[in-house]
Amino acid sequence: MPPLSFALALMPQTPVQIRTPLGNVEFQVEPAGIPGVSILAAPFEPKIPHGMSVLACYGVVLQVNVRKPVLDLRFQAFLEPTSVASSGASTGEGLEALEWTGQNTVMLIGTEDREYLERRLPHGIVLRDDPFTYSPQSLAIHIAKIPSGQLLSLHFVVAWNELPETVPPSCWFAVDQPHNSVLSVAGANPALKRDGAKRAAP
């Protein structure tokens, strides 16, 4: 996997940016400036079926450990395209994903779907009725309520390939990864990993 520039955000006001062939992808959380919120990003080696491969893959993790309740938190991945690219939802069992194609490139950003989130998230955390919003440039996860003192982690995985893919749909499988696998690569809080393991989907 070739080295590609990315930013690591440890302050809540600072978004993470990953440079991709289709433009910069920015990961940010709103409302901004909440103490105890951070975003971590790191290169990621996804577990995908034999024979499949991707040019690059990154895991991005939102960590939340707040002392006061938080309402209406949004974790968003937003593409700032450098050229015209078509996009659309590319969901599956356990997966919410947005796919872009353009400039002989396919790129996906994925995360857990509602069913997987409800199995994993600690009791007391409330999802919005529709916890995901899509636009041509973005995919966002919405949490309606996080109680005080509650640990929470969310993730995105971004991967891309040249078109045509040698073995399709490699990128789709690359972004469909278990939460704890992404936490391990991004160097997340060990307490988050323990909680995720307790509530992992079977």
Side-chain angles (χ1 to χ4, degrees), residues 109-175:
I109 289 177
T111 190
E112 303 162 287
D113 70 4
R114 184 189 185 103
E115 181 180 356
Y116 275 53
L117 281 174
E118 287 178 338
R119 289 176 178 175
R120 180 180 64 79
L121 292 180
H123 299 299
I125 292 178
V126 180
L127 296 174
R128 210 173 69 169
D129 289 342
D130 183 2
F132 305 98
T133 55
Y134 288 82
S135 80
Q137 287 81 37
S138 68
L139 171 60
I141 309 169
H142 300 262
I143 306 295
K145 180 180 179 180
I146 306 171
S148 59
Q150 184 63 71
L151 293 174
L152 165 70
S153 60
L154 303 171
H155 79 257
F156 285 113
V157 178
V158 53
W160 61 88
N161 257 339
E162 292 181 348
L163 286 174
E165 290 188 280
T166 303
V167 181
S170 294
C171 278
W172 190 91
F173 278 98
V175 302

Side-chain angles (χ1 to χ4, degrees), residues 2-73:
L4 293 159
S5 67
F6 70 98
L8 172 63
L10 295 176
M11 297 297 292
Q13 298 85 354
T14 308
V16 165
Q17 284 194 345
I18 295 175
R19 185 180 301 168
T20 83
L22 298 180
N24 288 340
V25 180
E26 183 170 286
F27 300 86
Q28 58 186 2
V29 61
E30 294 180 350
I34 304 173
V37 176
S38 62
I39 303 174
L40 306 168
F44 182 58
E45 190 69 37
K47 293 183 179 179
I48 53 181
H50 179 72
M52 291 187 173
S53 63
V54 293
L55 286 179
C57 186
Y58 289 87
V60 182
V61 173
L62 173 71
Q63 298 184 129
V64 179
N65 184 7
V66 290
R67 295 184 178 180
K68 296 181 179 179
V70 174
L71 302 178
D72 298 323
L73 180 139

